[in-house]
């Protein structure tokens, strides 16, 4: 009985010491995590937050025709694009281009991504490298390549005319059709990578179980494979959409000046008209488009996950 009374306080003291040790370790870990986080946060603030804040502040200034920027606080730079039908059309064309390129990229890239995700070949790594190899080439070079392929005397029109399928060349450049074709090819590797990383929920066992219960291959795909791969599809669509509506080179080159989207309009306002406040306002509108799509994406992912 005496031994038990003596050991009880010692046990409590040992437990308290262990608790203090755990708290001390936890505090040290938090300080370590914070120290590791600070450089990244500072880099983000300097490279993103400050420029973004400067751009938003610039959008409330007033730009003169001679390029002089008047330091003020006005909503004129927002009223003009929101009331002018031309800028509504540019914004709508930008949105439609992003949606179209995103959908086509997903449709074209899905079979490739599904094959690579399921492949057990020892050459799987090589196949993935081949699929994303176009990323090693500049988008400018690939865009110039599409200008040659889709031109009036390019490969596509020459082949179709040689086969007797058309009498006059198709107009595939200097319009939105050529821009979309070029963007789909340029952003396909991004869509493939996004879908491969998002196919973690796919399970061959579930597909085999559905097949053993009498489901056809089409039913297995539509009721098992496709629903489980939706997170990867949505991620790929979001990525391609964001890249598409913010791209400048391909709409400028393949569009030939006849395709105006927000990115090309921002460039013209910045370098041609020297109206930086108006260009900043258009950039903010572009960011709002980003935010709307991301909000829809989050709602859809929550709904799928729930």
């Amino acid at each position: 009985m005496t031994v038990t009374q003596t050991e009880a306080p010692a046990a409590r003291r040992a437990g308290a010491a262990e608790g203090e040790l755990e708290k001390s370790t936890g505090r040290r870990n938090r300080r370590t995590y914070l120290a590791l986080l600070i450089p990244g946060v500072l880099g983000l603030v300097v490279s993103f937050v400050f420029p973004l804040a400067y751009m938003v502040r610039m959008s409330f200034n007033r730009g003169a025709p001679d390029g002089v920027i008047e330091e003020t606080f006005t909503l004129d730079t927002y009223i003009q694009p929101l009331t002018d039908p031309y800028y509504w059309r540019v914004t709508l064309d930008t949105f439609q281009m992003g949606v179209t390129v995103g959908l086509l990229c997903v449709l074209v890239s899905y079979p490739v991504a599904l094959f690579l995700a399921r492949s057990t070949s020892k050459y799987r790594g090589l196949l993935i490298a081949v699929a994303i190899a176009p990323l090693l080439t500049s988008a400018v070079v690939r865009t110039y390549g599409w200008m040659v392929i889709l031109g009036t005397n390019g490969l596509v029109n020459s082949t179709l005319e040689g086969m007797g399928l058309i009498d006059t060349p198709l107009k595939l450049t200097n319009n939105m059709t050529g821009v979309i074709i070029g963007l789909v090819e340029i952003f396909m590797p991004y869509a493939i990578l996004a879908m491969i990383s998002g196919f973690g929920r796919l399970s061959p066992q579930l597909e085999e179980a559905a097949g053993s219960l009498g489901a056809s291959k089409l039913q297995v795909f539509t009721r098992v494979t496709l629903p489980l791969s939706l997170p990867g599809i949505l991620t790929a669509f979001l990525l391609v959409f964001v890249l598409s509506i913010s791209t400048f080179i391909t709409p400028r080159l393949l569009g030939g000046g006849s395709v105006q989207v927000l990115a090309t309009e921002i460039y013209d306002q910045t370098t041609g008209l020297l109206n930086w406040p108006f260009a900043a306002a258009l950039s903010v509108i572009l960011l709002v488009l980003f935010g709307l799509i991301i909000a829809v994406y989050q709602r859809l992912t929550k709904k799928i996950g729930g």
Side-chain angles (χ1 to χ4, degrees):
M1 187 68 178
T2 304
V3 175
T4 303
Q5 291 176 349
T6 304
E7 291 179 349
R12 286 196 296 270
R13 287 194 297 272
E18 291 179 359
E20 289 297 328
L21 181 60
E22 291 179 359
K23 290 180 181 179
S24 176
T25 303
R27 286 193 294 269
R28 285 198 302 270
N29 289 338
R30 284 192 293 272
R31 286 195 295 266
T32 302
Y33 297 151
L34 181 61
L36 293 174
L37 187 63
I38 287 175
V41 172
L42 289 177
L44 183 63
V45 169
V46 172
S47 63
F48 178 75
V49 177
F50 282 169
L52 180 62
Y54 179 80
M55 182 189 71
V56 174
R57 177 62 187 91
M58 175 65 71
S59 68
F60 292 104
N61 292 330
R62 182 180 287 111
D66 57 358
V68 176
I69 299 174
E70 179 185 350
E71 292 283 347
T72 183
F73 192 90
T74 179
L75 295 177
D76 293 345
T77 50
Y78 287 97
I79 293 175
Q80 182 178 353
L82 293 177
T83 56
D84 192 333
Y86 169 77
Y87 292 104
W88 273 102
R89 187 172 69 253
V90 169
T91 303
L92 182 60
D93 289 345
T94 304
F95 184 82
Q96 289 178 339
M97 181 186 72
V99 171
T100 304
V101 173
L103 290 175
L104 291 177
C105 257
V106 167
L107 288 175
V108 175
S109 304
Y110 182 81
V112 179
L114 189 62
F115 169 78
L116 293 175
R118 288 179 168 178
S119 176
T120 57
S121 171
K122 64 179 180 179
Y123 299 109
R124 180 175 181 268
L126 178 61
L127 293 175
I128 294 177
V130 171
I132 65 175
L135 295 177
L136 300 176
T137 306
S138 170
V140 178
V141 175
R142 283 187 281 168
T143 301
Y144 274 115
W146 278 111
M147 292 175 65
V148 174
I149 294 173
L150 300 176
T152 303
N153 298 317
L155 178 63
V156 174
N157 280 313
S158 299
T159 302
L160 293 177
E161 287 178 346
M163 297 174 63
L165 298 178
I166 58 173
D167 296 326
T168 58
L170 299 176
K171 187 173 177 55
L172 299 176
T173 57
N174 300 333
N175 54 24
M176 185 62 77
T177 301
V179 172
I180 290 175
I181 293 173
L183 289 178
V184 169
E185 187 275 332
I186 289 172
F187 294 138
M188 267 188 63
Y190 295 100
I192 292 172
L193 286 177
M195 280 190 279
I196 290 176
S197 62
F199 284 171
R201 298 174 62 182
L202 288 178
S203 174
Q205 289 77 15
L206 292 176
E207 297 175 351
E208 293 172 1
S212 65
L213 293 174
S216 64
K217 291 184 177 180
L218 180 60
Q219 290 174 327
V220 171
F221 175 77
T222 56
R223 298 184 182 183
V224 179
T225 306
L226 185 60
L228 291 177
S229 59
L230 276 179
I233 293 175
L234 291 176
T235 301
F237 175 82
L238 175 66
L239 178 62
V240 172
F241 175 85
V242 170
L243 291 173
S244 298
I245 66 175
S246 61
T247 189
F248 162 75
I249 294 173
T250 303
R252 172 64 79 186
L253 295 180
L254 276 173
S258 61
V259 175
Q260 289 295 329
V261 292
L262 284 176
T264 58
E265 190 65 30
I266 291 169
Y267 176 83
D268 291 338
Q269 291 290 334
T270 304
T271 61
L273 301 177
L274 301 179
N275 193 346
W276 285 37
F278 191 72
L282 293 178
S283 300
V284 172
I285 293 173
L286 188 60
L287 285 176
V288 171
L289 278 180
F290 290 160
L292 290 175
I293 292 300
I294 291 174
V296 173
Y297 167 78
Q298 290 179 339
R299 291 288 299 271
L300 290 175
T301 52
K302 288 181 180 179
K303 188 174 181 180
I304 294 173

